Amino acid sequence: MAMNEGVLYVVATPIGNLQDITARALDTLKRVARIAAEDTRHSRKLLAHYGIDTPMTALHEHNEPEVTGTLLKMLHSGTDLALIADAGTPLISDPGFYLVRAVRQAGMKVVPVPGPSACIAALSASGLPTDRFVFEGFLPAREHARRQRLEALREEYRTLVFYESSHRVADCLTDMVEVLGAGRAAVVARELTKTFETIRAGKLSELLAWLQGDAQQQRGEFVIMVHGEAQAAAGAAMDPQAQQVLELLMQELPLKQAAALASKITGLAKNLCYQRALELKKAN
Ligand code: SAM
Protein backbone atom coordinates (compact mmCIF):
# COMPACT_ATOMS: atom_id res chain seq x y z
CA MET A 1 0.00 0.00 0.00
CA ALA A 2 1.39 3.40 -0.99
CA MET A 3 1.83 5.86 1.88
CA ASN A 4 -0.43 8.57 0.50
CA GLU A 5 -3.41 6.41 -0.42
CA GLY A 6 -6.74 6.85 1.36
CA VAL A 7 -8.54 4.25 3.46
CA LEU A 8 -12.07 2.95 2.95
CA TYR A 9 -13.86 2.53 6.30
CA VAL A 10 -16.85 0.17 6.27
CA VAL A 11 -19.02 1.58 9.01
CA ALA A 12 -22.00 -0.12 10.69
CA THR A 13 -24.92 2.14 11.64
CA PRO A 14 -28.03 1.45 13.79
CA ILE A 15 -30.79 -0.96 12.75
CA GLY A 16 -33.46 1.13 14.44
CA ASN A 17 -32.39 2.65 17.73
CA LEU A 18 -30.17 5.65 16.94
CA GLN A 19 -28.21 5.12 20.13
CA ASP A 20 -26.75 1.94 18.69
CA ILE A 21 -23.81 3.63 17.03
CA THR A 22 -20.27 3.35 18.29
CA ALA A 23 -18.05 6.27 19.29
CA ARG A 24 -15.58 5.10 16.65
CA ALA A 25 -18.26 5.07 13.94
CA LEU A 26 -19.22 8.68 14.75
CA ASP A 27 -15.60 9.75 14.82
CA THR A 28 -14.90 8.06 11.48
CA LEU A 29 -17.97 9.51 9.78
CA LYS A 30 -16.93 13.01 10.94
CA ARG A 31 -13.33 12.63 9.89
CA VAL A 32 -13.54 11.15 6.38
CA ALA A 33 -13.78 13.42 3.34
CA ARG A 34 -16.83 11.69 1.88
CA ILE A 35 -19.37 9.02 2.79
CA ALA A 36 -20.75 6.58 0.23
CA ALA A 37 -24.33 5.84 1.33
CA GLU A 38 -27.03 3.64 -0.11
CA ASP A 39 -29.70 6.35 0.17
CA THR A 40 -28.23 9.77 0.96
CA ARG A 41 -31.56 11.29 2.05
CA HIS A 42 -32.15 8.50 4.51
CA SER A 43 -28.61 8.66 5.93
CA ARG A 44 -28.65 12.46 6.12
CA LYS A 45 -31.17 12.11 8.96
CA LEU A 46 -28.83 9.88 10.94
CA LEU A 47 -25.86 12.16 10.32
CA ALA A 48 -27.89 15.28 11.18
CA HIS A 49 -28.90 13.65 14.46
CA TYR A 50 -25.20 13.52 15.36
CA GLY A 51 -24.29 16.91 13.86
CA ILE A 52 -22.21 15.37 11.07
CA ASP A 53 -22.16 17.23 7.74
CA THR A 54 -19.67 15.15 5.75
CA PRO A 55 -20.58 15.19 2.03
CA MET A 56 -22.20 12.04 0.67
CA THR A 57 -22.26 10.08 -2.60
CA ALA A 58 -25.06 7.67 -3.42
CA LEU A 59 -23.90 4.10 -3.93
CA HIS A 60 -26.60 1.55 -4.61
CA GLU A 61 -27.06 -1.64 -6.59
CA HIS A 62 -27.80 0.25 -9.82
CA ASN A 63 -24.74 2.51 -9.87
CA GLU A 64 -22.13 0.62 -7.85
CA PRO A 65 -19.74 -0.13 -10.77
CA GLU A 66 -19.63 3.50 -12.01
CA VAL A 67 -19.41 5.06 -8.56
CA THR A 68 -16.70 2.58 -7.58
CA GLY A 69 -14.47 4.04 -10.32
CA THR A 70 -14.87 7.56 -8.93
CA LEU A 71 -14.29 6.44 -5.35
CA LEU A 72 -11.17 4.47 -6.33
CA LYS A 73 -9.71 7.65 -7.85
CA MET A 74 -10.40 9.54 -4.64
CA LEU A 75 -8.72 6.84 -2.56
CA HIS A 76 -5.72 6.81 -4.92
CA SER A 77 -5.33 10.53 -4.41
CA GLY A 78 -5.20 10.08 -0.63
CA THR A 79 -8.81 10.80 0.36
CA ASP A 80 -10.29 8.73 3.22
CA LEU A 81 -13.82 7.47 2.59
CA ALA A 82 -16.55 5.72 4.56
CA LEU A 83 -19.20 3.32 3.34
CA ILE A 84 -22.53 3.03 5.15
CA ALA A 85 -25.82 1.26 4.41
CA ASP A 86 -29.35 2.42 5.25
CA ALA A 87 -29.15 0.30 8.38
CA GLY A 88 -26.75 -2.12 10.00
CA THR A 89 -23.56 -3.43 8.48
CA PRO A 90 -22.82 -2.65 4.82
CA LEU A 91 -22.55 -5.67 2.47
CA ILE A 92 -24.80 -7.79 4.71
CA SER A 93 -27.74 -7.99 2.26
CA ASP A 94 -26.70 -4.47 1.27
CA PRO A 95 -24.52 -2.84 -1.39
CA GLY A 96 -20.76 -2.49 -1.13
CA PHE A 97 -19.35 -5.85 -2.24
CA TYR A 98 -18.27 -4.49 -5.62
CA LEU A 99 -16.58 -1.47 -4.03
CA VAL A 100 -14.82 -3.37 -1.23
CA ARG A 101 -13.53 -6.00 -3.64
CA ALA A 102 -12.26 -3.35 -6.06
CA VAL A 103 -10.49 -1.39 -3.31
CA ARG A 104 -8.79 -4.51 -2.02
CA GLN A 105 -7.87 -5.65 -5.52
CA ALA A 106 -6.28 -2.23 -6.08
CA GLY A 107 -4.12 -2.97 -3.04
CA MET A 108 -5.65 -0.25 -0.86
CA LYS A 109 -6.80 -0.55 2.71
CA VAL A 110 -10.34 -1.45 3.82
CA VAL A 111 -11.01 -1.04 7.54
CA PRO A 112 -14.18 -2.34 9.23
CA VAL A 113 -15.80 -0.22 11.92
CA PRO A 114 -18.10 -2.88 13.40
CA GLY A 115 -21.49 -2.39 14.95
CA PRO A 116 -25.09 -3.60 14.60
CA SER A 117 -26.37 -6.19 12.19
CA ALA A 118 -29.91 -7.55 12.38
CA CYS A 119 -28.65 -11.11 11.83
CA ILE A 120 -26.35 -11.13 14.85
CA ALA A 121 -28.73 -9.14 17.06
CA ALA A 122 -31.55 -11.59 16.28
CA LEU A 123 -29.43 -14.68 16.86
CA SER A 124 -28.07 -13.33 20.14
CA ALA A 125 -31.56 -13.16 21.64
CA SER A 126 -33.16 -16.13 19.88
CA GLY A 127 -32.37 -19.00 22.21
CA LEU A 128 -31.56 -21.15 19.17
CA PRO A 129 -28.12 -22.74 18.81
CA THR A 130 -25.63 -20.09 17.68
CA ASP A 131 -22.40 -22.08 17.71
CA ARG A 132 -22.95 -22.70 14.02
CA PHE A 133 -25.41 -20.91 11.75
CA VAL A 134 -26.06 -20.24 8.09
CA PHE A 135 -26.96 -16.75 6.99
CA GLU A 136 -29.25 -17.05 3.97
CA GLY A 137 -30.26 -13.38 3.60
CA PHE A 138 -33.46 -12.90 1.58
CA LEU A 139 -35.18 -15.91 0.06
CA PRO A 140 -36.20 -15.53 -3.61
CA ALA A 141 -39.34 -13.46 -4.14
CA ARG A 142 -41.00 -16.01 -6.42
CA GLU A 143 -42.69 -18.93 -4.73
CA HIS A 144 -41.19 -21.65 -6.92
CA ALA A 145 -37.62 -20.42 -6.47
CA ARG A 146 -38.22 -19.83 -2.76
CA ARG A 147 -39.39 -23.39 -2.22
CA GLN A 148 -36.48 -24.75 -4.20
CA ARG A 149 -34.07 -22.85 -1.97
CA LEU A 150 -35.82 -24.15 1.14
CA GLU A 151 -35.70 -27.71 -0.26
CA ALA A 152 -31.94 -27.35 -0.59
CA LEU A 153 -31.78 -26.33 3.08
CA ARG A 154 -34.08 -29.02 4.47
CA GLU A 155 -31.27 -31.25 5.76
CA GLU A 156 -29.08 -28.43 7.02
CA TYR A 157 -28.16 -29.04 10.65
CA ARG A 158 -27.04 -25.50 11.47
CA THR A 159 -29.44 -22.75 12.54
CA LEU A 160 -30.83 -20.99 9.46
CA VAL A 161 -31.12 -17.20 9.41
CA PHE A 162 -33.28 -15.36 6.87
CA TYR A 163 -34.12 -11.71 6.28
CA GLU A 164 -37.67 -10.87 5.28
CA SER A 165 -39.77 -7.83 4.60
CA SER A 166 -43.31 -7.22 5.83
CA HIS A 167 -45.08 -7.99 2.57
CA ARG A 168 -43.59 -11.47 2.18
CA VAL A 169 -43.18 -12.70 5.73
CA ALA A 170 -46.43 -14.71 5.81
CA ASP A 171 -45.77 -16.32 2.40
CA CYS A 172 -42.29 -17.15 3.48
CA LEU A 173 -43.45 -18.85 6.71
CA THR A 174 -46.14 -20.71 4.77
CA ASP A 175 -43.46 -22.20 2.51
CA MET A 176 -41.24 -23.00 5.48
CA VAL A 177 -44.08 -24.92 7.15
CA GLU A 178 -44.59 -26.95 3.99
CA VAL A 179 -40.98 -27.59 3.09
CA LEU A 180 -39.18 -27.68 6.45
CA GLY A 181 -42.10 -29.11 8.44
CA ALA A 182 -44.78 -27.63 10.70
CA GLY A 183 -43.07 -28.83 13.86
CA ARG A 184 -39.64 -27.30 13.25
CA ALA A 185 -38.62 -24.89 16.03
CA ALA A 186 -38.12 -21.31 14.90
CA VAL A 187 -37.93 -17.72 16.11
CA VAL A 188 -39.28 -14.59 14.48
CA ALA A 189 -37.49 -11.36 15.47
CA ARG A 190 -39.40 -8.29 14.39
CA GLU A 191 -38.50 -4.58 14.56
CA LEU A 192 -35.36 -5.19 16.60
CA THR A 193 -34.23 -2.25 18.73
CA LYS A 194 -37.40 -0.32 17.77
CA THR A 195 -40.60 0.49 19.67
CA PHE A 196 -42.47 -2.63 18.58
CA GLU A 197 -39.63 -5.07 18.96
CA THR A 198 -41.04 -8.59 19.21
CA ILE A 199 -39.14 -11.84 19.52
CA ARG A 200 -41.38 -14.85 19.32
CA ALA A 201 -40.40 -18.50 19.49
CA GLY A 202 -42.49 -21.50 18.51
CA LYS A 203 -43.01 -24.21 15.96
CA LEU A 204 -43.14 -22.92 12.39
CA SER A 205 -46.88 -23.63 12.20
CA GLU A 206 -47.50 -21.73 15.47
CA LEU A 207 -45.54 -18.74 14.25
CA LEU A 208 -47.47 -18.70 10.98
CA ALA A 209 -50.81 -18.88 12.83
CA TRP A 210 -49.71 -16.05 15.13
CA LEU A 211 -48.71 -13.81 12.22
CA GLN A 212 -51.83 -14.60 10.22
CA GLY A 213 -53.99 -13.91 13.25
CA ASP A 214 -52.63 -10.41 13.83
CA ALA A 215 -52.02 -8.07 10.89
CA GLN A 216 -50.07 -5.71 13.18
CA GLN A 217 -47.43 -8.39 13.65
CA GLN A 218 -46.86 -8.56 9.90
CA ARG A 219 -45.59 -4.98 9.80
CA GLY A 220 -41.97 -3.93 9.91
CA GLU A 221 -38.71 -5.76 9.38
CA PHE A 222 -38.07 -9.39 10.19
CA VAL A 223 -35.37 -11.90 10.87
CA ILE A 224 -36.62 -15.49 10.73
CA MET A 225 -34.44 -18.11 12.37
CA VAL A 226 -35.09 -21.82 12.01
CA HIS A 227 -33.58 -24.62 14.07
CA GLY A 228 -31.35 -26.92 12.06
CA GLU A 229 -32.64 -30.35 11.10
CA ALA A 230 -32.60 -32.26 14.39
CA GLN A 231 -31.47 -35.66 13.12
CA ALA A 232 -28.71 -34.08 11.10
CA ALA A 233 -27.76 -32.03 14.15
CA ALA A 234 -27.46 -35.25 16.13
CA GLY A 235 -25.21 -36.57 13.38
CA ALA A 236 -23.12 -33.46 13.54
CA ALA A 237 -22.64 -34.04 17.21
CA MET A 238 -21.79 -37.68 16.61
CA ASP A 239 -20.58 -39.36 19.75
CA PRO A 240 -16.79 -39.69 19.95
CA GLN A 241 -16.77 -43.49 19.62
CA ALA A 242 -18.86 -43.48 16.45
CA GLN A 243 -16.70 -40.74 15.05
CA GLN A 244 -13.57 -42.75 15.82
CA VAL A 245 -14.99 -45.72 13.91
CA LEU A 246 -15.72 -43.46 10.97
CA GLU A 247 -12.28 -41.87 11.06
CA LEU A 248 -10.54 -45.25 11.15
CA LEU A 249 -12.58 -46.51 8.22
CA MET A 250 -11.86 -43.33 6.30
CA GLN A 251 -8.14 -44.07 6.57
CA GLU A 252 -8.64 -47.38 4.77
CA LEU A 253 -11.61 -46.87 2.46
CA PRO A 254 -13.04 -44.37 0.01
CA LEU A 255 -15.33 -41.90 1.74
CA LYS A 256 -18.62 -43.36 0.58
CA GLN A 257 -17.73 -46.91 1.58
CA ALA A 258 -16.35 -45.74 4.92
CA ALA A 259 -19.62 -43.93 5.64
CA ALA A 260 -21.73 -46.95 4.63
CA LEU A 261 -19.71 -49.31 6.81
CA ALA A 262 -19.68 -46.85 9.75
CA SER A 263 -23.45 -46.69 9.48
CA LYS A 264 -23.71 -50.50 9.71
CA ILE A 265 -21.34 -50.68 12.68
CA THR A 266 -22.77 -47.78 14.68
CA GLY A 267 -26.43 -48.05 13.68
CA LEU A 268 -26.47 -44.37 12.71
CA ALA A 269 -28.22 -43.33 9.50
CA LYS A 270 -26.10 -43.67 6.38
CA ASN A 271 -26.57 -40.07 5.26
CA LEU A 272 -25.51 -38.81 8.69
CA CYS A 273 -22.30 -40.80 8.51
CA TYR A 274 -21.77 -39.55 4.99
CA GLN A 275 -22.35 -35.93 6.03
CA ARG A 276 -19.93 -36.31 8.89
CA ALA A 277 -17.35 -37.98 6.68
CA LEU A 278 -17.56 -35.03 4.27
CA GLU A 279 -17.05 -32.60 7.13
CA LEU A 280 -14.10 -34.53 8.48
CA LYS A 281 -12.54 -34.65 5.04
CA LYS A 282 -13.00 -30.90 4.63
CA ALA A 283 -11.53 -30.20 8.05
CA ASN A 284 -8.36 -32.18 7.32
N1 SAM B 1 -27.29 -4.50 6.46
C1 SAM B 1 -28.38 -4.83 7.34
C2 SAM B 1 -27.84 -5.62 8.53
O1 SAM B 1 -26.65 -5.58 8.80
O2 SAM B 1 -28.64 -6.26 9.20
C3 SAM B 1 -29.50 -5.54 6.61
C4 SAM B 1 -30.09 -4.79 5.47
S1 SAM B 1 -31.33 -5.63 4.58
C5 SAM B 1 -31.52 -4.60 3.18
C6 SAM B 1 -32.79 -5.25 5.45
C7 SAM B 1 -33.35 -6.45 6.16
O3 SAM B 1 -32.62 -6.66 7.37
C8 SAM B 1 -34.79 -6.30 6.58
O4 SAM B 1 -35.70 -6.66 5.55
C9 SAM B 1 -34.87 -7.27 7.74
O5 SAM B 1 -34.98 -8.58 7.27
C10 SAM B 1 -33.49 -7.09 8.37
N2 SAM B 1 -33.55 -6.03 9.39
C11 SAM B 1 -32.97 -4.82 9.35
N3 SAM B 1 -33.25 -4.13 10.46
C12 SAM B 1 -34.03 -4.92 11.23
C13 SAM B 1 -34.65 -4.77 12.50
N4 SAM B 1 -34.54 -3.65 13.18
N5 SAM B 1 -35.38 -5.81 12.97
C14 SAM B 1 -35.50 -6.95 12.28
N6 SAM B 1 -34.94 -7.14 11.08
C15 SAM B 1 -34.21 -6.14 10.55
Side-chain angles (χ1 to χ4, degrees), residues 15 85 87-90 92-94 116-119 138 163-165 189-194 221-223:
I15 56 168
T89 302
I92 306 302
S93 293
D94 264 331
S117 186
C119 164
F138 290 94
Y163 278 173
E164 202 44 87
S165 63
R190 169 181 169 252
E191 294 288 89
L192 290 168
T193 78
K194 303 188 207 176
E221 299 190 280
F222 295 82
V223 181

Side-chain angles (χ1 to χ4, degrees), residues 159-197:
T159 297
L160 300 165
V161 185
F162 302 92
Y163 278 173
E164 202 44 87
S165 63
S166 52
H167 54 281
R168 261 201 294 273
V169 66
D171 289 347
C172 180
L173 276 172
T174 303
D175 289 346
M176 286 178 175
V177 166
E178 280 173 34
V179 179
L180 304 177
R184 187 84 79 96
V187 175
V188 171
R190 169 181 169 252
E191 294 288 89
L192 290 168
T193 78
K194 303 188 207 176
T195 313
F196 297 108
E197 178 179 275

Side-chain angles (χ1 to χ4, degrees), residues 226-266:
V226 183
H227 200 292
E229 210 278 318
Q231 254 212 323
M238 195 181 248
D239 76 74
Q241 268 183 335
Q243 178 152 323
Q244 207 182 4
V245 169
L246 180 61
E247 279 173 345
L248 283 172
L249 290 169
M250 282 173 72
Q251 286 169 18
E252 306 295 330
L253 296 168
L255 188 138
K256 226 173 166 173
Q257 267 175 280
L261 202 50
S263 152
K264 277 193 186 141
I265 296 169
T266 62

Side-chain angles (χ1 to χ4, degrees), residues 15 22 77 79 93 98 106 111 124-126 128 133-134 164 171 176 182-183 207 217 238 252-253:
I15 56 168
T22 68
S77 67
T79 309
S93 293
Y98 195 91
V111 172
S124 71
S126 68
L128 290 173
F133 63 87
V134 184
E164 202 44 87
D171 289 347
M176 286 178 175
L207 292 171
Q217 296 294 352
M238 195 181 248
E252 306 295 330
L253 296 168

Side-chain angles (χ1 to χ4, degrees), residues 186-225:
V187 175
V188 171
R190 169 181 169 252
E191 294 288 89
L192 290 168
T193 78
K194 303 188 207 176
T195 313
F196 297 108
E197 178 179 275
T198 311
I199 301 173
R200 179 132 182 155
K203 293 177 181 164
L204 278 172
S205 56
E206 293 166 351
L207 292 171
L208 176 61
W210 163 69
L211 267 187
Q212 284 175 333
D214 184 351
Q216 285 302 321
Q217 296 294 352
Q218 293 185 35
R219 300 171 71 151
E221 299 190 280
F222 295 82
V223 181
I224 304 174
M225 292 155 287

Side-chain angles (χ1 to χ4, degrees), residues 98-161:
Y98 195 91
L99 172 66
V100 168
R101 186 178 57 177
V103 174
R104 291 186 58 81
Q105 280 174 349
M108 292 187 285
K109 204 166 167 185
V110 181
V111 172
V113 181
S117 186
C119 164
I120 300 299
L123 274 172
S124 71
S126 68
L128 290 173
T130 51
D131 49 346
R132 289 189 170 82
F133 63 87
V134 184
F135 176 64
E136 276 289 319
F138 290 94
L139 281 165
R142 287 172 185 275
E143 187 183 322
H144 180 68
R146 189 164 59 225
R147 285 183 180 226
Q148 271 188 330
R149 185 75 209 120
L150 288 170
E151 293 279 357
L153 293 166
R154 196 162 47 189
E155 307 278 301
E156 175 56 60
Y157 75 89
R158 294 166 291 187
T159 297
L160 300 165
V161 185

